[in-house]
Amino acid sequence: MDRVFYVTTPIYYVNAAPHIGHAYTTIVADFLARFHRLDGFDVFFLTGTDEHGEKIAEAARKAGLSPKAFVDQMSARFKAAWEKLEISYDDFIRTTEDRHKKVVQLVLQKVYDAGDIYYGEYEGLYCVGCERFLTEKELVDGKCPDHGIEPERRREGNYFFKMEKYRPWLRDHIEQHPEFIRPEGYRHEVLAMLAEPIGDLSISRPKTRTDWGIELPWDKDHVTYVWFDALVNYISALGYPEGERYKRYWPAANHMIGKDILKPHAVFWPTMLKAAGIPLYKHLNVGGYLLGPDGRKMSKTLGNVVDPFALVEKYGADAVRYYLLREVPYGQDGAVGEAGLKERYTSELANDLGNLVQRVRAMVQKYAGGRVARPEGVEESPLAKEAAEAVERYRGFVRDLRFHQALEEAILWVRRLNRHVNEEKPWELAKKGENDRLARVLYELVEGLRVASALLEPAMPGKMKVLRQALGLPKTTLAEAARFGTLAAAELPREAPQLFPRIEEKKTVTEEKTEQVPLIEFDDFMKLDLRIAEVKEAKKHPNADRLLVLTLDLGNETRTVVAGLAEHYAPEELTGKKVLYLANLKPKKLRGVLSQGMVLAAEGPDGRLSVLTPDRDLPPGAKVR
Ligand code: MSP
């Protein structure tokens, strides 16, 4: 029973095309679904579309389509979007399907029979954007805070659900079950809502206003209010009341939502369930809002809307998924944008992970004929203990909904492996003929990447498949990831694509740039004091991961240079090298160390830097002309 996990997204209104808010909520749910599958859970993952109500009928009219044709078309767009984002849902529910309508009517009838629905006149302030009546208190400057429009005053005959009656019960339930609504801040928000009367809930609309909805089973002149219709999707899709899926998965329900729909999920839904005699869901998990790169709410007028699908085209689905999960702590609002994505893509995905895979592959090919095998006693390696601890911390972070920290843990593990390369220096082991140790280190690196592939699988399922292929690795569960040394042997294919290739900016942009490089006079060139220098010593910068501190011999003097080479060279690889050096650059302190001049390097197509060395042996200090 506790190895069962049911995760849902909100079902999305089909009046708007899929955007980043939908994508984010769905990616989070997919991450959890994949994590639990990888951790041996029996998972059911549901998403879908919310297709009834005035707002949608209105959008169909504007599009010149019948409501049915319109919702079919829009719902298909959501499915296509989820395919692009590698969303691994098990079912996609549409509220216009018979299997759903049937259950909505059944639940309505149950609540009606229990005496919790009555008919009355209602007058209030209605926001069509929210599809609900708002209380005076919810308004900001007389407007709906989410839609920025003044709600309409409406008076009509409605059926009401006796929601207020369940308020004390719900408050007690939330107080006694601190994990019911997470993160904590939202739980308090709901308790505050429940501290005062919440009133009864209008749950019908007269057909004279709109007939695009599910009929009330006892009154054909009314259709169900959209929220009473939509929320039921979470059980209709499971085949409530008799379906095996319902019995199996409902007790393990985790709803993932955005904070704007907290009230319907935290107040309407539990009271509806209670009145219908249905057990409550297990957890309501509430995400914050993604904001534009400027930290403001995304809006077309501000021009700060981030299109996730354009980013997917350019960076790939996995990078976008990784970025959104890594960037914004779940539950909080956070600014996102292409610059941030690019930064993480380059530093964490291409440099930390992609380069490591390349390096390990190259070394295994060069020193071990493309094969590694488990050496005796590898479970005693310090890495074995660290891997088990990393997996445990990662699990804990995911269970606490700290997805950004879970991914940080994964990247720290990748960096740990990079350190292993730099500390063990396989090239030196090869030179010294220490073959056993070399074989062990190479195995540990491949095995370590197997662990990394499990930790990153829920966020980047596509890329992790490519990574496993590049290293000849099998798919790995989390339990197997925690057991370092599980891999018996691996044979690496000769060729493998680069995991995170450099992002090509649009051609035209670079071409323009090349033309714009200014021409200089010979005198300008002569101002440069370029020399050959010999690297006497190279060590890590004490305060910066990406920098190395080099001591250079210039023949008659010694200079210190801080160079951004730490991701491209292990310090010992540089020692003894003769390099091209710009000697008369103004000295500058870089992270606390004074840098005198600059070592020249060129960038390869994969973004790796290569330092420039003279073609023939030259003494330190030789002038470059
Ligand atoms: N149809 C209802 C949900 C019914 S569930 C029984 C609905 N649909 S929606 O399409 O308007 O929005 C669904 C989700 O998208 C909400 O959870 C909302 O929080 C999320 N997002 C919309 N914009 C968002 C951001 N900018 N950032 C993060 N999520 C936001 O509401």
Side-chain angles (χ1 to χ4, degrees):
M1 174 54 200
D2 56 354
R3 298 306 268 175
V4 176
F5 186 73
Y6 175 37
V7 62
T8 69
T9 72
I11 49 171
Y12 302 109
Y13 284 132
V14 288
N15 61 323
H19 57 59
I20 196 157
H22 304 131
Y24 176 59
T25 316
T26 310
I27 289 169
V28 169
D30 190 61
F31 176 84
L32 277 177
R34 288 179 187 269
F35 165 86
H36 282 90
R37 286 188 200 116
L38 206 64
D39 209 14
F41 281 68
D42 174 4
V43 172
F44 197 79
F45 173 15
L46 176 72
T47 188
T49 39
D50 191 352
E51 307 185 359
H52 287 129
E54 277 180 74
K55 192 158 70 172
I56 290 169
E58 174 65 15
R61 202 185 51 75
K62 280 197 182 138
L65 291 171
S66 72
K68 172 80 175 103
F70 177 74
V71 298
D72 283 352
Q73 199 181 73
M74 292 300 288
S75 182
R77 283 180 72 174
F78 277 89
K79 280 194 177 163
W82 301 157
E83 200 171 319
K84 283 207 183 99
L85 283 171
E86 303 174 84
I87 304 300
S88 61
Y89 59 79
D90 295 295
D91 198 357
F92 189 104
I93 182 98
R94 300 180 53 190
T95 54
T96 48
E97 288 175 90
D98 283 340
R99 61 169 176 156
H100 174 72
K101 293 187 199 167
K102 221 168 60 191
V103 179
V104 170
Q105 291 186 326
L106 180 72
V107 172
L108 277 166
Q109 192 67 52
K110 277 190 146 195
V111 180
Y112 189 68
D113 292 346
D116 279 343
I117 290 176
Y118 63 93
Y119 188 78
E121 280 283 313
Y122 190 83
E123 185 172 341
L125 297 166
Y126 195 82
C127 171
V128 183
C130 296
E131 292 275 24
R132 65 183 179 91
F133 284 100
L134 302 181
T135 60
E136 295 276 358
K137 263 206 297 195
E138 283 175 290
L139 305 184
V140 177
D141 298 332
K143 291 180 179 165
C144 162
D146 285 340
H147 297 92
I149 44 172
E150 271 181 37
E152 302 166 26
R153 183 156 287 280
R154 283 192 182 182
R155 185 191 169 84
E156 57 190 28
N158 277 181
Y159 285 92
F160 288 88
F161 163 51
K162 294 184 184 166
M163 190 162 73
E164 171 63 21
K165 167 178 158 184
Y166 292 101
R167 182 166 63 94
W169 161 81
L170 180 58
R171 206 180 46 210
D172 288 351
H173 181 83
I174 297 174
E175 265 161 9
Q176 282 155 25
H177 297 85
E179 300 255 285
F180 186 59
I181 300 171
R182 308 182 292 190
E184 186 72 13
Y186 296 107
R187 174 173 173 260
H188 290 302
E189 210 173 294
V190 175
L191 284 172
M193 281 180 211
L194 295 175
E196 287 172 41
I198 49 174
D200 289 343
L201 182 67
S202 152
I203 56 149
S204 69
R205 299 289 172 267
K207 275 196 187 167
T208 46
R209 180 180 284 286
T210 180
D211 65 354
W212 185 239
I214 300 172
E215 258 177 21
L216 297 185
W218 63 87
D219 187 339
K220 306 278 171 250
D221 293 334
H222 292 261
V223 292
T224 316
Y225 163 53
V226 281
W227 276 105
F228 210 105
D229 168 348
L231 289 160
V232 173
N233 90 87
Y234 300 131
I235 55 173
S236 68
L238 295 180
Y240 172 84
E242 293 303 331
E244 282 309 311
R245 281 183 174 166
Y246 169 72
K247 291 177 193 157
R248 182 161 182 76
Y249 296 110
W250 180 243
N254 272 265
H255 297 317
M256 312 304 297
I257 61 163
K259 64 178 187 179
D260 55 327
I261 52 176
L262 179 61
K263 188 172 180 184
H265 281 82
V267 180
F268 302 176
W269 184 221
T271 52
M272 281 164 63
L273 288 166
K274 177 75 178 162
I278 303 169
L280 299 192
Y281 55 79
K282 193 166 171 194
H283 296 296
L284 179 64
N285 304 315
V286 190
Y289 250 54
L290 297 186
L291 308 170
D294 52 359
R296 295 205 280 176
K297 195 169 169 179
M298 287 186 205
S299 88
K300 290 207 179 105
T301 21
L302 287 176
N304 63 349
V305 176
V306 177
D307 175 3
F309 304 101
L311 294 176
V312 167
E313 286 293 311
K314 193 162 167 189
Y315 297 86
D318 287 75
V320 172
R321 292 168 57 108
Y322 174 85
Y323 170 65
L324 295 180
L325 290 162
R326 172 91 173 89
E327 186 71 16
V328 182
Y330 184 73
Q332 297 176 24
D333 292 355
V336 295
E338 183 172 356
L341 167 58
K342 198 167 176 182
E343 165 69 30
R344 291 221 189 259
Y345 184 95
T346 311
S347 64
E348 295 178 0
L349 300 182
N351 289 350
D352 291 339
L353 179 59
N355 284 349
L356 174 66
V357 173
Q358 297 270 82
R359 263 174 117 184
V360 170
R361 269 185 52 79
M363 291 188 293
V364 174
Q365 307 281 14
K366 186 164 171 194
Y367 305 128
R371 258 185 303 268
V372 294
R374 177 173 46 219
E376 282 293 302
V378 70
E379 44 312 322
E380 305 297 320
S381 150
L383 281 180
K385 189 164 160 276
E386 289 175 48
E389 289 167 354
V391 173
E392 216 23 63
R393 278 193 301 270
Y394 173 88
R395 265 206 193 98
F397 285 137
V398 178
R399 300 241 166 100
D400 289 346
L401 309 175
R402 296 172 181 275
F403 312 126
H404 69 296
Q405 276 175 299
L407 293 180
E408 180 173 36
E409 190 67 44
I411 283 298
L412 287 174
W413 174 250
V414 168
R415 293 197 185 130
R416 173 71 186 89
L417 297 177
N418 273 308
R419 231 168 44 235
H420 199 51
V421 176
N422 297 342
E423 285 166 6
E424 294 292 331
K425 305 184 190 77
W427 52 94
E428 282 188 8
L429 298 176
K431 224 190 275 172
K432 289 191 250 162
E434 290 190 33
N435 291 338
D436 285 352
R437 173 118 177 248
L438 176 62
R440 165 183 297 270
V441 171
L442 294 178
Y443 171 87
E444 285 172 339
L445 290 169
V446 174
E447 176 64 343
L449 280 164
R450 181 183 67 83
V451 176
S453 86
L455 300 182
L456 291 167
E457 169 81 16
M460 299 192 287
K463 290 291 182 187
M464 289 309 106
K465 196 166 167 198
V466 179
L467 179 147
R468 285 192 299 269
Q469 276 163 0
L471 295 164
L473 290 169
K475 192 163 176 187
T476 292
T477 64
L478 274 182
E480 288 159 351
R483 283 197 301 274
F484 196 83
T486 302
L487 180 73
E491 175 129 17
L492 279 60
R494 288 233 128 257
E495 303 289 327
Q498 221 184 345
L499 201 54
F500 294 100
R502 207 172 130 81
I503 300 301
E504 291 295 334
E505 290 296 340
K506 281 207 189 82
K507 275 233 167 57
T508 51
V509 180
T510 13
E511 275 161 15
E512 275 164 22
K513 259 197 200 147
T514 345
E515 279 169 11
Q516 281 166 8
V517 173
L519 297 176
I520 59 167
E521 299 294 337
F522 183 69
D523 285 353
D524 293 330
F525 173 71
M526 288 308 284
K527 286 184 196 153
L528 303 179
D529 183 13
L530 287 166
R531 307 222 171 219
I532 298 299
E534 182 172 344
V535 182
K536 282 292 173 207
E537 195 194 15
K539 54 181 195 231
K540 288 188 179 157
H541 191 293
N543 316 318
D545 284 355
R546 307 195 192 289
L547 300 178
L548 292 180
V549 179
L550 310 179
T551 309
L552 301 182
D553 176 8
L554 266 193
N556 50 6
E557 61 175 313
T558 309
R559 296 268 183 101
T560 302
V561 166
V562 177
L565 291 172
E567 286 164 348
H568 309 274
Y569 287 93
E572 16 350 289
E573 284 177 277
L574 289 171
T575 320
K577 266 201 184 7
K578 300 253 173 76
V579 296
L580 212 60
Y581 168 66
L582 175 59
N584 63 337
L585 190 67
K586 271 193 191 146
K588 190 176 175 189
K589 256 199 182 168
L590 292 173
R591 295 287 193 101
V593 178
L594 187 71
S595 181
Q596 309 160 290
M598 185 163 82
V599 168
L600 302 190
E603 190 177 7
D606 59 355
R608 286 204 85 178
L609 293 182
S610 181
V611 295
L612 304 178
T613 56
D615 191 35
R616 297 205 183 95
D617 196 27
L618 289 170
K623 175 110 179 99
V624 178
R625 299 191 274 158

